[in-house]
Amino acid sequence: MSAEPVTVIPLSEATVVAAPRCAADLTEQRGTRRVSFVPKYGSDAVSVDVRYLWCGAPNAPTVIVQGGISADRDVCAGRDRRAGWWQELVAEGAAIDLAHCRVLSINWLVPSDLGDVASVSSEDQAAALAALVDELGIGRVHAFVGSSYGAMTGLAFAANHADKLKSLVLLAGAHRPHPLATAQRSIQRSIVRMGIDSGRTDEALALARQLAMTTYRGSEEFSRRFAAGPELREGRFHFPVEDYLEHAGRRFVERFDAQRFLALSESIDLHDVSPERVTATTTLVGFPSDRLVPLADLCELQRRLGGTATLEVVDSPYGHDAFLKETAQLAPVLRHAINDCRGDC
């Protein structure tokens, strides 16, 4: 992989919509750094090009923010992008306030980035982040805020790189995958592999995404949105939920690669971190409607964590995707958990 030049951009030049604007003295680095570590499923150190975003107030404490497997480094809006995947919570004046901290985020690694390895692990993602923290001269991050797969990586970071972390905030993610969720993802991967073998990769990836959407969202939302009856169209009955799922599948194919999906989906199911190894102060956030990460798993995680831990339960109809949808409810939780980075370090 060729190195991407690092750009340092005053965020006053950014075009930002539908989110708090960044102050004139905020800066952005968006580039690539080469780091080295030993992958979990490898025997030798590898050199990896990590694509990252480091954005916010100069010389302020750094907060790592990582999302699900389909999230990238662009967590907030910036000069070359009108939106970020969590921009309502990461901006100047937002819960993760770029006027008082810097946010660091990376693109997820896949096995091809690591050479000859069978799979990529959440520990590998954490190792890449820890090495990047050293490479950028950060030393110790104020907090690691992780959602879904990002929460799994946050646990691996806290367990294996405790000296680089002050606190941990985990949304919709636990120390291990629930077996039922693994079963559902296994079916999705089988669909994609069948599509690759039959030359219908895009159709299979879209279908796998449609199935995934039925696990990401809650029953209450589906009941409310898709209660209408079917419509006779093109020689058959179409149910309202079908159009929604087909649209989600098409959009996913436009922006995601099948092999990347297979690797990161499998990485979720390989995740296994002993909670007792995590001593950082931790805030857990769970959603009763989340069928992928049941509250019972978060309760077990809270009991077993080696440090102080609190569990915040946020009611939502949106299931696992509540961490993306319930920004108003999550904002005060995040503010309290990271203390706005004021006066830290």
Side-chain angles (χ1 to χ4, degrees), residues 267-279:
S267 186
I268 293 173
D269 292 322
L270 290 170
H271 170 74
D272 188 7
V273 171
S274 173
E276 291 80 5
R277 297 177 56 210
V278 175
T279 58

Side-chain angles (χ1 to χ4, degrees), residues 14-39:
T15 301
V16 182
V17 296
R21 298 192 62 171
C22 294
D25 59 346
L26 304 191
T27 61
E28 173 183 300
Q29 284 187 30
R30 190 173 186 274
T32 301
R33 291 291 180 104
R34 178 157 291 185
V35 302
S36 297
F37 60 90
V38 179

Side-chain angles (χ1 to χ4, degrees), residues 226-232 237-241:
F226 307 114
E231 174 186 329
L232 185 60
F237 283 103
H238 287 255
F239 295 87
V241 72

Side-chain angles (χ1 to χ4, degrees), residues 14-67:
T15 301
V16 182
V17 296
R21 298 192 62 171
C22 294
D25 59 346
L26 304 191
T27 61
E28 173 183 300
Q29 284 187 30
R30 190 173 186 274
T32 301
R33 291 291 180 104
R34 178 157 291 185
V35 302
S36 297
F37 60 90
V38 179
K40 180 176 181 177
Y41 300 106
S43 56
D44 300 314
V46 296
S47 293
V48 181
D49 289 316
V50 179
R51 297 183 182 276
Y52 72 95
L53 173 71
W54 194 24
C55 170
N59 305 313
T62 292
V63 175
I64 295 175
V65 178
Q66 294 291 144

Side-chain angles (χ1 to χ4, degrees), residues 167-208:
S167 62
L168 192 58
V169 185
L170 308 177
L171 300 88
H175 52 297
R176 54 164 178 75
H178 191 281
L180 182 57
T182 296
Q184 293 161 335
R185 283 186 292 267
S186 295
I187 295 170
Q188 295 165 32
R189 294 193 294 270
S190 293
I191 291 170
V192 172
R193 293 189 187 103
M194 187 180 298
I196 293 172
D197 291 342
S198 63
R200 302 174 70 179
T201 302
D202 286 355
E203 292 175 74
L205 183 60
L207 189 58

Side-chain angles (χ1 to χ4, degrees), residues 60-119:
T62 292
V63 175
I64 295 175
V65 178
Q66 294 291 144
I69 64 170
S70 60
D72 59 17
R73 60 183 166 176
D74 293 327
V75 63
C76 59
R79 182 183 184 185
D80 298 320
R81 55 195 185 280
R82 296 172 63 86
W85 62 262
W86 228 23
Q87 66 180 35
E88 292 182 18
L89 292 171
V90 181
E92 186 197 3
I96 302 176
D97 191 349
L98 295 181
H100 296 283
C101 69
R102 301 187 77 176
V103 162
L104 177 65
S105 186
I106 67 169
N107 286 355
W108 296 124
L109 302 176
V110 294
S112 59
D113 295 320
L114 307 180
D116 186 22
V117 299
S119 188

Side-chain angles (χ1 to χ4, degrees), residues 169-303:
V169 185
L170 308 177
L171 300 88
H175 52 297
R176 54 164 178 75
H178 191 281
L180 182 57
T182 296
Q184 293 161 335
R185 283 186 292 267
S186 295
I187 295 170
Q188 295 165 32
R189 294 193 294 270
S190 293
I191 291 170
V192 172
R193 293 189 187 103
M194 187 180 298
I196 293 172
D197 291 342
S198 63
R200 302 174 70 179
T201 302
D202 286 355
E203 292 175 74
L205 183 60
L207 189 58
R209 181 64 171 185
Q210 291 181 48
L211 180 56
M213 293 304 296
T214 68
T215 68
Y216 293 153
R217 296 300 180 93
S219 299
E220 181 183 339
E221 182 198 8
F222 270 61
S223 178
R224 185 181 69 241
R225 292 182 61 181
F226 307 114
E231 174 186 329
L232 185 60
R233 196 168 72 229
E234 299 173 347
R236 73 171 181 89
F237 283 103
H238 287 255
F239 295 87
V241 72
E242 289 183 80
D243 293 333
Y244 164 79
L245 293 175
E246 289 170 4
H247 176 70
R250 287 194 301 270
R251 286 186 60 197
F252 192 68
V253 169
E254 290 170 359
R255 64 186 181 87
F256 222 75
D257 173 77
Q259 292 295 342
R260 183 175 184 82
F261 168 79
L262 288 174
L264 293 176
S265 173
E266 181 181 67
S267 186
I268 293 173
D269 292 322
L270 290 170
H271 170 74
D272 188 7
V273 171
S274 173
E276 291 80 5
R277 297 177 56 210
V278 175
T279 58
T281 300
T282 303
T283 300
L284 304 173
V285 181
F287 309 99
S289 59
D290 188 346
R291 292 177 289 177
L292 290 178
V293 185
L295 281 180
D297 285 6
L298 295 182
C299 290
E300 177 190 343
L301 175 57
Q302 182 190 19
R303 289 194 304 269

